[in-house]
Amino acid sequence: MVIPKRVVFVLALLPLLWISWLAFRDALGAHPVERVIHFTGQWTLNFLLITLTVTPLRQYSGWNGLLRIRRMLGLFAFFYGTLHLLSYAGIDQWFDWHAIVHDIVKHPYILAGLSGYLTMLPLALTSNAWAVSKLKTRWKKLHRLAYLVPALGVLHFTWLVKKDLTQPLIYGTLLLILLVLRLPFQSQWRATR
Ligand code: HEM
């Protein structure tokens, strides 16, 4: 079965439409900026994990049509990550670079988030056919960073939460499961090589 890319594209835009609708109706609550930062942060992590689900789902089900949408899902993770970064640096800090640097020094969890975003950057820039053909085997090596990004995202989330660790723990467990699910296929691939 082939999933139409257009359907995935529209579905992936729904979180953005939802938060924009809330903003338009002035219904973001008492702390609108925080609400937007948290919402976009969660959706960055959601898309990172959804993207990592594609390969094991394809391997276990044999549903090869899924591969068509993997790149788009990864790019949506980057898109929501960019919105998250912009809501923090732009709406929260008004692009005051001194305040941002001061905040990073004071709250190292922001550095973990920033590292996650900067790791995503080369992946997003090389997620096109031209880069795949130019980088050849190095492309695969580079794109192994796709495992590091959600790990940094989970670290960032765990670090920033003050009391209730339930949500970061759920994300961390899901990430671990997704990585473990790949192991049988990794060893199979090595054996055939
Ligand atoms: C891979 C990249 C990133 C991911 C996956 C990510 C994810 C998250 C998540 C899940 C949250 C918590 C949402 C909640 O509480 O419900 C969050 C909060 C936050 N993130 Fe990120 N983030 C990333 C990058 C960044 C970057 C680049 C910055 C800024 C330079 C940043 C700054 C923040 C801030 C300020 C908060 C709110 C902290 C608070 O509640 O006091 N994040 N992020």
Side-chain angles (χ1 to χ4, degrees):
M1 191 177 79
V2 176
I3 308 178
K5 280 188 180 172
R6 256 175 284 176
V7 173
V8 180
F9 186 82
V10 172
L11 287 176
L13 279 178
L14 290 183
L16 175 64
L17 290 179
W18 173 243
I19 198 78
S20 310
W21 170 244
L22 290 183
F24 175 71
R25 288 185 47 233
D26 204 5
L28 285 171
H31 305 284
V33 177
E34 271 120 273
R35 176 86 190 270
V36 172
I37 294 177
H38 289 195
F39 185 86
T40 48
Q42 292 225 348
W43 276 99
T44 308
L45 209 43
N46 291 345
F47 273 102
L48 285 170
L49 293 190
I50 294 171
T51 311
L52 272 191
T53 310
V54 171
T55 298
L57 197 61
R58 181 188 70 88
Q59 285 166 333
Y60 284 91
S61 67
W63 184 10
N64 289 327
L66 281 172
L67 273 186
R68 276 166 48 86
I69 57 165
R70 191 175 55 179
R71 180 169 68 179
M72 190 192 286
L73 291 170
L75 284 173
F76 265 105
F78 181 68
F79 173 66
Y80 281 100
T82 306
L83 291 182
H84 182 57
L85 172 64
L86 287 177
S87 16
Y88 164 74
I91 320 175
D92 194 33
Q93 303 289 329
W94 293 94
F95 294 113
D96 179 344
W97 302 112
H98 284 106
I100 292 174
V101 171
H102 183 258
D103 214 18
I104 292 176
V105 174
K106 204 167 136 209
H107 305 289
Y109 72 80
I110 298 183
L111 190 62
L114 196 58
S115 313
Y117 184 78
L118 292 178
T119 312
M120 254 201 288
L121 200 59
L123 301 184
L125 292 176
T126 57
S127 69
N128 51 70
W130 181 81
V132 178
S133 70
K134 281 277 159 208
L135 293 172
K136 297 194 176 83
T137 51
R138 277 174 296 160
W139 189 89
K140 267 208 146 167
K141 280 189 189 146
L142 176 71
H143 279 252
R144 284 198 197 126
L145 290 175
Y147 308 124
L148 180 65
V149 180
L152 287 167
V154 170
L155 173 71
H156 167 65
F157 196 4
T158 313
W159 215 336
L160 71 88
V161 163
K162 272 137 207 135
K163 283 186 208 128
D164 188 2
L165 277 169
T166 315
Q167 280 198 344
L169 277 177
I170 292 175
Y171 277 114
T173 311
L174 286 176
L175 174 61
L176 202 67
I177 293 172
L178 287 173
L179 295 181
V180 169
L181 280 175
R182 286 161 188 263
L183 290 179
F185 291 90
Q186 291 279 326
S187 38
Q188 219 175 61
W189 177 75
R190 278 211 188 93
T192 50
R193 276 217 315 178

